[in-house]
């Protein structure tokens, strides 16, 4: 309702509204689009896709959830973390203070770019995308939504995770990784830590948003259909 009202009040400032990856069962989008007799603009629906998620409502602990995953995944997550902790000083850290935010956001961007080394350009390479994510991080931290995580080895960040917790949903947006640590499953270890935090935080869903990457299939418990509204 708030978004619909804001759009109507500033209707002269925009011409096209795109709503990406909207759950087909969501009712809120109808309020934004407006009733048929009073619609903001003609609507087009296209680009259907599947969004993976983890239903956390039936799990009281990370261990309970992990027990439902494949034997290979359980072994990999546990073994690689134990090896890291044996050979190095290991710390999981979440950004909690505004004084840390600017440096942490830059560290996230740096690790995200390293993750794309040799694979083309990331969508976060553009300055506008970075500015938007930095602004959102500041507002989200103030609101208590931000979940910006790092895996540090010997005091150096080797993997990062950017997401948020709004209401009962914990959402995974983007990640970063130092390629030198990819064979040590650093990204997988950090992803597992955020799922653990979501369970301990009382979230009922871990939303993995868009993308059909193989690692998401290893963790997901279900998928929802989504589409784009224009």
């Amino acid at each position: 309702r708030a978004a619909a009202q804001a759009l109507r009040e500033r209707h002269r400032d925009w011409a096209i509204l795109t709503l990406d990856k909207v759950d087909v069962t969501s009712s809120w989008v109808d309020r934004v689009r407006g009733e048929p007799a009073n619609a903001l603009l003609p609507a087009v629906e296209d680009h259907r896709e599947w969004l993976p998620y983890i239903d956390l409502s039936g799990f009281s602990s990370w261990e309970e959830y992990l027990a439902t995953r494949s034997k290979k995944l359980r072994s990999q997550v546990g073994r690689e973390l134990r090896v890291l902790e044996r050979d190095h000083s290991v710390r999981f850290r979440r950004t909690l203070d505004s004084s840390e935010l600017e440096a942490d956001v830059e560290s996230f961007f740096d690790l995200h770019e390293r993750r794309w080394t040799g694979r083309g350009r990331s969508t976060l390479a553009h300055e506008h995308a970075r500015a938007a994510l930095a602004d959102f991080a500041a507002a989200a931290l103030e609101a208590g939504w931000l979940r910006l995580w790092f895996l540090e080895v010997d005091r150096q960040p080797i993997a990062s995770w950017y997401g948020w917790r709004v209401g009962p949903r914990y959402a995974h947006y983007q990640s970063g990784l130092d390629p030198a640590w990819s064979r040590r499953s650093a990204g997988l270890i950090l992803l597992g830590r955020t799922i653990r935090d979501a369970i301990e935080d009382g979230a009922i869903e871990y939303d993995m948003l868009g993308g059909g990457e193989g690692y998401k299939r290893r963790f997901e418990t279900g998928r929802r259909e989504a589409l784009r509204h224009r």
Side-chain angles (χ1 to χ4, degrees), residues 157-202:
I158 65 169
S160 58
W161 186 101
Y162 184 112
W164 50 84
R165 161 79 190 270
V166 179
R169 183 175 293 178
Y170 202 110
H172 168 30
Y173 179 66
Q174 282 285 5
S175 59
L177 175 66
D178 183 338
W181 294 89
S182 60
R183 292 189 177 183
R184 302 293 295 271
S185 302
L188 200 71
I189 291 170
L190 182 56
L191 179 65
R193 181 63 182 85
T194 65
I195 296 172
R196 178 173 191 155
D197 183 65
I199 295 172
E200 294 174 350
D201 205 23

Side-chain angles (χ1 to χ4, degrees), residues 18-184:
T18 300
L19 303 172
D20 255 330
K21 299 177 174 58
V22 178
D23 187 343
V24 295
T25 65
S26 294
S27 59
W28 63 266
V29 70
D30 293 328
R31 298 179 186 229
V32 174
R33 285 168 50 176
E35 297 301 325
N38 189 33
L40 293 171
L41 285 174
V44 177
E45 299 177 358
D46 64 2
H47 192 64
R48 289 178 176 258
E49 62 180 301
W50 293 96
L51 306 184
Y53 66 91
I54 305 171
D55 182 355
L56 300 176
S57 60
F59 304 110
S60 59
S61 69
W62 158 250
E63 290 75 18
E64 189 176 338
Y65 160 74
L66 193 60
T68 68
R69 302 297 90 198
S70 69
K71 181 178 180 180
K72 182 178 180 180
L73 179 61
R74 296 197 306 270
S75 174
Q76 184 178 5
V77 171
R79 180 185 67 252
E80 295 295 351
L81 179 57
R82 287 193 296 271
V83 171
L84 268 185
E85 291 176 330
R86 182 195 67 198
D87 298 337
H88 304 275
S89 171
V90 176
R91 181 172 74 145
F92 295 99
R93 183 176 65 82
R94 190 182 121 198
T95 304
L96 297 173
D97 193 284
S98 58
S99 64
E100 305 171 326
L101 185 61
E102 183 176 357
D104 282 354
V105 168
E106 285 303 314
S107 181
F108 161 72
F109 286 142
D110 176 60
L111 286 165
H112 183 75
E113 285 304 308
R114 290 198 222 173
R115 178 188 169 204
W116 278 84
T117 301
R119 299 169 53 201
R121 262 176 86 81
S122 160
T123 55
L124 300 189
H126 197 286
E127 61 180 314
H128 293 323
R130 292 192 172 205
L133 282 187
D135 287 347
F136 177 80
L141 180 63
E142 184 176 353
W145 300 346
L146 184 65
R147 298 296 184 270
L148 183 56
W149 280 94
F150 296 92
L151 170 57
E152 298 177 344
V153 169
D154 299 331
R155 299 187 178 183
Q156 294 298 316
I158 65 169
S160 58
W161 186 101
Y162 184 112
W164 50 84
R165 161 79 190 270
V166 179
R169 183 175 293 178
Y170 202 110
H172 168 30
Y173 179 66
Q174 282 285 5
S175 59
L177 175 66
D178 183 338
W181 294 89
S182 60
R183 292 189 177 183
R184 302 293 295 271

